[in-house]
Amino acid sequence: MKKYLSIYLIVLIVASCVPGSEQIDRNKELEDFLNNIEEENKKDGPIIYSASWISSNFITYDSQKVITDYGTRYTLKSLERSREASAYDDLSTSTENRRMLNILKSSFVMPPPLNKELASELSSITTSLEAMYGSGEHCYEDGSCYDLEAFESIIDNSRNPEELLKAWHGWHEIGKPMKPMYMRMVDIGNQGARDLGYQGLSDLWFSKYDMPADDFLNETDRVWEEVKPLYDALHCHVRAKLNEHYGDDVVPESGPLPVHLLGNMWGQSWSNIYDLVYTEESQQNSVDVTKIIEEKGLNETEMVEYAEDFFLSIGFEPLPDTFWERSLFVKPRDRSVVCHASAWNLDPANNDLRIKMCIQKNEEDFVTIHHELGHIFYYQAYNHLPTLFQGGANDGFHEAFGDLLTLSITPDYLTQIDFISEKEASLAKEDPIGLLMKQALDGVVVVPWALMLDKWRSGVFNGEIDETNLNSSWWRLREYYQGISTSTERSEEYFDPGAKYHIPGNTPYTRYYLARIMQYQFHEALCNEIEFDGLLHECSIYGSKKAGDKIISTMALGESLPWQDAFENLTSTRQLSGKSILNYYAPLKDWLDEQNKNRTCGWN
């Protein structure tokens, strides 16, 4: 009897180790679910992206109607997928499948509840907000009307404070009608986020970084504290130089900077006032890329070809013919388009890659083109992966790779592409402060702006900011983080956040903060990889296949692994750090500290 009992127990134990039929059935269901999504994405994705492309390039009643309908249907389908993905939370499955499920659940930026009427309303609002921005213009009593490009031309180039303030006020008029629509959108989005199991939109947005949301936010604050002394020193110097130029009545010696005087509509870059803030005699040795573009008579397409050449030099494959045939490089004269520069991956299976950009023949857009092609070549590197993994390791990676190559636009690089002579490059390198100042006025200045924008938006999502203090909270945060303010009172009648594309366009902005930090970490790691011997800001990876291999192998991972794994593949560390940006700008920081010795720095 004991013998038979022992055999029975052994059989029982073995049987208990074999997956039950229910487990097997659910795993089969999951495989079918993910396979169906893959097939649907390949079939429907290109059509949806084409509809979106048309709505951005032909802003008409009909194009907006079409994309609203597509947006509604696609959103509802995505919601159904997210809810079905949640049903497998307790299932034991492969790491790859689990990652796909998590991506499905957290893929939304502004989700509606699973309700057709609310989904339709939300789609209509988001489409209208983007169209309002893209076709936005302000008309004066004399009948003259200005769109963003016209206002930006004034902001970028004028030195008349009254003219600058008028242009700044004019563009910010477009935000007023957006306010009620924006708040209704947030209300619906919060309902949708809660339906997906999140506390709200803020929880949804910051739960996508392969770590708890609170830990991630603590990391961003920690890194900002590392970078802040550099920004503060730059702010102090810029204010002093603007005070010298405009006088105490326009720019006081203490306090925040007037936003309309900073050479950028949003004060997120100060590169257009470089000539005011760095006026040493040695500035005559600086490189004027805008002037070179004019002298060479380059057209918009040729500017893009120079950027492509950089990627080819480090080992990337050439862009397909369709990129050149289907991209938008020049603003059309016969229709309204969303001119905000963007990169598109319309049909990954067929490598249908495009950029949409109203290129201006200047240095700023020459750099922006390199940035946009960073996105394009990232798409090309990971388009072989399953569709759910066709994305950046986190949303900052795409922007970081876009920004990365801009650090390699050095005098030596400009010599290699025959923009300047070796003698001109040597003269430019004799004045590292001039070079670093020009870059810092963009690369450092943007960091607190990129951090504060989503802090404001998170406050709106959480209800800490409401209709009574939307605008005042915007300017309170801008002053706190950036030391920037307006010269006139901005009441709650205005909705100044709406004058920045990423607010009505619902584009998360933390990605740009991450990108600026990672950009310098990537650059330093690659320069170490190629054993560059010199100051970090003089390093260019142009022509280095060794650096290209690191970049391509990291890009090719897409979103298939936690971002820390991809980050480690390129940098040999898993932690964000502000030290690389400090290393890059070390000569400038020393110089700024010397200049600021007898100045009042900081702002209240």
Side-chain angles (χ1 to χ4, degrees):
M1 183 67 182
K2 287 183 179 179
K3 177 181 178 181
Y4 289 118
L5 182 59
S6 298
I7 293 173
Y8 172 76
L9 289 174
I10 291 171
V11 171
L12 183 63
I13 291 169
V14 171
S16 69
C17 295
V18 177
S21 59
E22 183 179 344
Q23 175 83 359
I24 294 172
D25 289 345
R26 291 199 67 209
N27 275 312
K28 178 64 166 58
E29 286 177 10
L30 173 57
E31 293 293 338
D32 290 343
F33 170 61
L34 294 175
N35 287 336
N36 287 338
I37 287 176
E38 182 70 9
E39 293 306 311
E40 288 178 356
N41 286 348
K42 288 180 178 178
K43 178 172 64 74
D44 298 338
I47 299 172
I48 294 166
Y49 283 125
S50 289
S52 182
W53 175 266
I54 292 170
S55 75
S56 292
N57 284 278
F58 300 85
I59 301 177
T60 65
Y61 168 81
D62 296 300
S63 68
Q64 303 313 300
K65 189 174 182 179
V66 169
I67 194 59
T68 297
D69 178 62
Y70 268 114
T72 299
R73 286 188 281 145
Y74 183 75
T75 298
L76 286 172
K77 177 180 281 188
S78 297
L79 282 169
E80 291 171 0
R81 287 176 171 182
S82 294
R83 283 165 171 76
E84 189 166 350
S86 298
Y88 297 101
D89 282 348
D90 61 343
L91 183 65
S92 177
T93 185
S94 68
T95 301
E96 180 177 294
N97 285 350
R98 178 57 57 196
R99 186 159 184 83
M100 286 185 175
L101 291 170
N102 288 337
I103 289 171
L104 282 169
K105 290 190 296 180
S106 63
S107 61
F108 285 95
V109 172
M110 193 60 62
L114 190 58
N115 176 293
K116 187 173 182 179
E117 290 183 1
L118 287 176
S120 179
E121 182 184 359
L122 182 63
S123 182
S124 177
I125 290 173
T126 55
T127 301
S128 296
L129 285 172
E130 185 157 349
M132 288 167 72
Y133 186 94
S135 60
E137 65 175 14
H138 180 66
C139 298
Y140 294 97
E141 292 181 358
D142 63 3
S144 62
C145 297
Y146 294 76
D147 60 8
L148 176 58
E149 284 66 48
F151 279 129
E152 277 194 301
S153 180
I154 297 170
I155 293 290
D156 292 354
N157 300 298
S158 176
R159 292 291 185 261
N160 183 320
E162 293 180 358
E163 184 181 31
L164 287 166
L165 187 59
K166 181 181 178 181
W168 188 90
H169 280 158
W171 176 246
H172 282 74
E173 287 289 319
I174 73 158
K176 285 181 180 178
M178 296 180 184
K179 182 177 177 178
M181 299 171 66
Y182 185 81
M183 295 307 290
R184 175 57 178 161
M185 178 185 68
V186 170
D187 178 44
I188 298 173
N190 269 325
Q191 293 180 51
R194 287 191 287 269
D195 280 2
L196 289 173
Y198 297 93
Q199 296 177 13
L201 284 169
S202 186
D203 183 36
L204 169 64
W205 279 33
F206 294 110
S207 296
K208 302 178 181 181
Y209 295 102
D210 299 305
M211 59 196 301
D214 288 344
D215 291 350
F216 172 74
L217 291 171
N218 288 336
E219 277 292 281
T220 61
D221 288 337
R222 176 187 62 77
V223 175
W224 165 238
E225 287 302 318
E226 292 179 345
V227 177
K228 189 176 184 296
L230 173 60
Y231 178 82
D232 289 351
L234 187 63
H235 181 283
C236 188
H237 175 73
V238 168
R239 183 177 58 202
K241 301 305 286 187
L242 291 180
N243 172 264
E244 287 180 16
H245 181 80
Y246 288 109
D248 293 344
D249 292 341
V250 179
V251 183
E253 290 185 337
S254 61
L257 298 169
V259 64
H260 64 287
L261 300 178
L262 298 175
N264 176 273
M265 184 64 74
W266 307 278
Q268 69 184 65
S269 169
W270 306 342
S271 59
N272 284 322
I273 59 169
Y274 171 75
D275 60 309
L276 296 183
V277 303
Y278 190 72
T279 55
E280 301 296 325
E281 289 183 8
S282 56
Q283 186 189 350
Q284 64 185 337
N285 295 329
S286 66
V287 178
D288 187 341
V289 173
T290 299
K291 184 178 179 181
I292 294 168
I293 291 170
E294 292 172 355
E295 290 174 346
K296 284 182 170 289
L298 299 181
N299 62 35
E300 293 82 358
T301 302
E302 289 168 333
M303 290 172 67
V304 180
E305 288 171 345
Y306 271 103
E308 183 198 29
D309 171 69
F310 197 124
F311 286 89
L312 299 184
S313 80
I314 60 176
F316 282 88
E317 294 296 318
L319 293 171
D321 291 342
T322 53
F323 170 83
W324 303 100
E325 296 163 0
R326 299 170 185 173
S327 291
L328 177 74
F329 300 143
V330 182
K331 183 180 181 180
R333 296 182 179 181
D334 60 343
R335 65 182 191 269
S336 294
V337 301
V338 177
C339 270
H340 181 81
S342 55
W344 296 64
N345 191 17
L346 279 87
D347 186 357
N350 292 300
N351 213 31
D352 187 354
L353 308 164
R354 310 177 198 177
I355 65 169
K356 178 180 60 61
M357 181 178 176
C358 304
I359 296 173
Q360 302 293 314
K361 289 181 273 191
N362 57 36
E363 180 172 0
E364 182 179 358
D365 278 12
F366 184 72
V367 172
T368 299
I369 293 166
H370 282 73
H371 172 95
E372 295 304 328
L373 287 199
H375 293 298
I376 293 295
F377 281 99
Y378 203 167
Y379 296 146
Q380 188 165 267
Y382 64 54
N383 272 348
H384 67 285
L385 295 172
T387 57
L388 288 176
F389 290 153
Q390 289 174 5
N394 66 37
D395 55 3
F397 268 69
H398 249 293
E399 300 302 327
F401 278 124
D403 290 335
L404 173 62
L405 293 196
T406 67
L407 296 182
S408 286
I409 303 178
T410 63
D412 287 339
Y413 164 65
L414 295 175
T415 299
Q416 289 174 286
I417 63 173
D418 198 30
F419 265 39
I420 61 176
S421 66
E422 290 186 6
K423 181 179 179 181
E424 288 171 317
S426 297
L427 289 172
K429 288 193 289 186
E430 287 178 3
D431 179 24
I433 304 307
L435 288 169
L436 289 171
M437 178 67 77
K438 182 176 288 188
Q439 288 182 292
L441 291 174
D442 181 68
V444 176
V445 164
V446 74
V447 175
W449 158 256
L451 186 63
M452 67 73 49
L453 198 147
D454 274 353
K455 284 188 177 292
W456 176 84
R457 197 152 32 186
S458 180
V460 177
F461 293 166
N462 291 336
E464 298 165 4
I465 298 171
D466 59 27
E467 291 91 341
T468 66
N469 63 346
L470 274 179
N471 221 44
S472 60
S473 62
W474 173 259
W475 288 108
R476 178 177 56 79
L477 285 170
R478 294 204 65 179
E479 183 168 336
Y480 179 80
Y481 282 99
Q482 294 178 275
I484 287 177
S485 67
T486 60
S487 295
T488 55
E489 187 67 29
R490 303 293 290 178
S491 70
E492 292 304 323
E493 172 192 7
Y494 297 98
F495 183 56
D496 292 333
K500 176 61 181 173
Y501 170 78
H502 299 74
I503 299 295
N506 270 322
T507 304
Y509 219 79
T510 300
R511 63 184 62 175
Y512 300 104
Y513 173 78
L514 293 174
R516 286 302 186 180
I517 301 302
M518 293 193 295
Q519 169 193 11
Y520 290 94
Q521 283 190 264
F522 289 172
H523 182 70
E524 185 169 37
L526 291 169
C527 291
N528 289 337
E529 181 73 17
I530 65 175
E531 299 180 344
F532 176 78
D533 183 19
L535 295 170
L536 186 55
H537 69 273
E538 293 181 351
C539 173
S540 176
I541 62 170
Y542 180 76
S544 172
K545 296 294 196 295
K546 192 173 185 181
D549 288 345
K550 275 280 187 181
I551 296 172
I552 294 168
S553 66
T554 304
M555 285 183 167
L557 296 172
E559 201 175 354
S560 64
L561 297 172
W563 71 264
Q564 294 90 340
D565 291 348
F567 192 74
E568 186 176 24
N569 184 68
L570 198 151
T571 66
S572 300
T573 181
R574 300 177 68 83
Q575 189 175 51
L576 294 172
S577 172
K579 292 179 181 177
S580 292
I581 194 171
L582 296 180
N583 291 341
Y584 187 91
Y585 291 104
L588 177 63
K589 177 61 164 61
D590 292 341
W591 183 87
L592 288 170
D593 288 344
E594 188 66 28
Q595 299 297 309
N596 291 333
K597 273 185 177 178
N598 298 314
R599 293 169 176 166
T600 300
C601 294
W603 59 91
N604 292 330

